[in-house]
Amino acid sequence: MTKLLEINNLFVNYGGIQALKDVNLIVETGEVVTLIGANGAGKSTTLRAISRLINPRRGEIIYNGRNITRRPSHEVVQLGIAHSPEGRRVLARQTVLDNLELGAYIRSNSAEIKADINKQFQLFPRLAERRHQLAGTLSGGEQQMLAIARALMSRPKLLLLDEPSLGLAPAIVREIFSIIQNLRATGVTILLVEQNANLALQIADRGYVLEAGCITLTGKASDFLNDQRVKQAYLG
Ligand code: ATP
């Protein structure tokens, strides 16, 4: 396996708040790695630092052998990192199709873009049926699917998924997690942030526990599922 992502000694502040303190993390090519932790632990902040939506105070982010710590976010997308943010953030007044096209903003070959839109429709048949519907009128689960599909439109090597199960009914969550598993089979590497640690650990290869901005535990997902500390704190 080769390292696709390596985070070294990362510190992030929001004004006076230290959100990340010396975070170290590795994602190998082809893995699904999950980051679990309580509310406010810094999970979303880690993803935002990787996709370059925020600037770290210290540390480095190496992607595919390249130091991207200070690169602009559009360049990071071009290099193959896509971020499906918490809260979905689809463009409510645009159609499903428009949202997907926007996800391909770094690309110019319209035939390829069209082919990729069709790929998303195969992966997410619910979106195909609703291609002309305004994204804001989709259900929560459909908006989550659209957010993931839009991220995939940049043909990422590394997909950052933030809380895909948030606020969704169990049946939809199962559907979305089965799609995430299919994605991994297509060779996309995934860094998954999830409140639902049980579910995340079932599809992940490895996990990290983040507590108050620090990584406190790392290991195989299967070991986490049997770890007393993880069980007590995160698996209910
Ligand atoms: P959740 O599961 O609740 O989303 P999280 O683990 O993703 O939590 P983050 O959103 O990364 O946590 O937040 C980490 C810390 O940074 C929290 O204390 C939060 O209040 C703070 N924080 C996050 N975004 C900002 C911001 N834009 N301005 C100020 N503080 C922020």
Side-chain angles (χ1 to χ4, degrees), residues 24-76:
N24 291 278
L25 176 156
I26 285 173
V27 181
E28 311 259 9
T29 301
E31 276 190 315
V32 175
V33 172
T34 185
L35 199 53
I36 59 181
N39 284 326
K43 305 179 299 295
S44 300
T45 299
T46 306
L47 298 192
R48 283 189 217 123
I50 300 165
S51 62
R52 304 290 306 107
L53 299 174
I54 49 171
N55 279 321
R57 186 163 65 82
R58 265 171 58 195
E60 56 178 20
I61 304 170
I62 311 290
Y63 166 75
N64 224 355
R66 222 183 247 249
N67 189 334
I68 60 162
T69 322
R70 307 276 160 207
R71 307 313 307 160
S73 57
H74 67 88
E75 205 176 300
V76 168

Side-chain angles (χ1 to χ4, degrees), residues 147-165:
I148 299 172
R150 183 183 56 186
L152 292 172
M153 285 302 297
S154 61
R155 291 196 173 176
K157 291 191 189 75
L158 175 64
L159 178 63
L160 309 175
L161 279 179
D162 200 347
E163 301 279 8
S165 80

Side-chain angles (χ1 to χ4, degrees), residues 100-112:
L100 291 176
E101 277 165 9
L102 278 164
Y105 77 98
I106 55 159
R107 299 168 51 193
S108 55
N109 183 325
S110 52
E112 275 183 21

